[in-house]
């Protein structure tokens, strides 16, 4: 199984008007039934959400993208643990990640603002100044 996280926003940082979700591309090497499970915890390590999806995947169909919903009641930092299991419940892989939910972006400064930021446009960032 090939497992690829495809963040919907750079750094998994979502403003209030954006859809917080974590797309995961799954490319099966064999046909079978699988379970995609996740647990979300807040900054205090308290359980915020959990879920799972039962999937029937086949090589013939190829890549499938599953989207894990990340919306929470409160803005803030969250950790997410994702696991892929086979039909017997054996864990095939796990991945730990994080995301942040921010309130709506109310900044008024644009590219002519006297304030600036520096970012790694080639290292997990974006080359689009509007997103930075």
């Amino acid at each position: 199984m090939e497992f690829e996280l495809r963040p919907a926003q750079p750094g998994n940082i979502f403003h209030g008007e954006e859809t917080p979700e974590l797309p995961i591309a799954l490319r099966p090497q064999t046909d079978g039934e699988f379970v995609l499970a996740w647990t979300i915890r807040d900054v205090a390590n308290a359980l915020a959400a959990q879920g799972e999806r039962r999937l029937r995947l086949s090589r013939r169909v190829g890549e499938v993208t599953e989207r894990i919903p990340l919306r929470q009641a409160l803005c803030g930092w969250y950790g997410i643990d994702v696991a892929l299991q086979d039909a017997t419940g054996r864990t095939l892989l796990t991945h730990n990640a994080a995301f942040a939910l921010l309130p709506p972006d109310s900044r008024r400064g644009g590219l002519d603002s006297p304030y600036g930021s520096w970012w790694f446009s080639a290292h997990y960032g974006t080359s689009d100044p509007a997103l930075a």
Side-chain angles (χ1 to χ4, degrees):
M1 175 72 69
E2 293 180 26
F3 177 98
E4 179 185 355
L5 285 112
R6 294 181 175 164
Q9 289 294 327
N12 285 328
I13 300 169
F14 301 90
H15 287 278
E17 66 276 3
E18 297 167 339
T19 302
E21 62 184 8
L22 181 60
I24 299 176
L26 301 168
R27 291 182 289 277
Q29 305 304 304
T30 59
D31 296 353
E33 294 183 10
F34 301 89
V35 177
L36 180 66
W38 61 90
T39 302
I40 298 174
R41 296 191 174 277
D42 66 16
V43 71
N45 204 34
L47 181 64
Q50 59 187 8
E52 69 176 32
R53 293 211 182 111
R54 298 193 177 278
L55 309 169
R56 182 181 298 269
L57 303 175
S58 75
R59 276 184 75 170
R60 184 180 47 79
V61 172
E63 180 176 297
V64 172
T65 300
E66 292 293 323
R67 297 177 182 279
I68 296 176
L70 302 177
R71 189 168 306 280
Q72 302 297 314
L74 300 174
C75 292
W77 180 96
Y78 293 88
I80 181 169
D81 300 324
V82 181
L84 185 68
Q85 302 166 338
D86 66 13
T88 68
R90 181 175 60 108
T91 300
L92 302 174
L93 61 89
T94 61
H95 183 81
N96 304 324
F99 63 95
L101 302 177
L102 304 177
D105 187 357
S106 61
R107 296 175 291 180
R108 293 187 208 141
L111 295 177
D112 58 342
S113 172
Y115 304 101
S117 65
W118 183 81
W119 71 97
F120 293 96
S121 64
H123 298 90
Y124 309 109
T126 177
S127 59
D128 183 352
L131 290 176

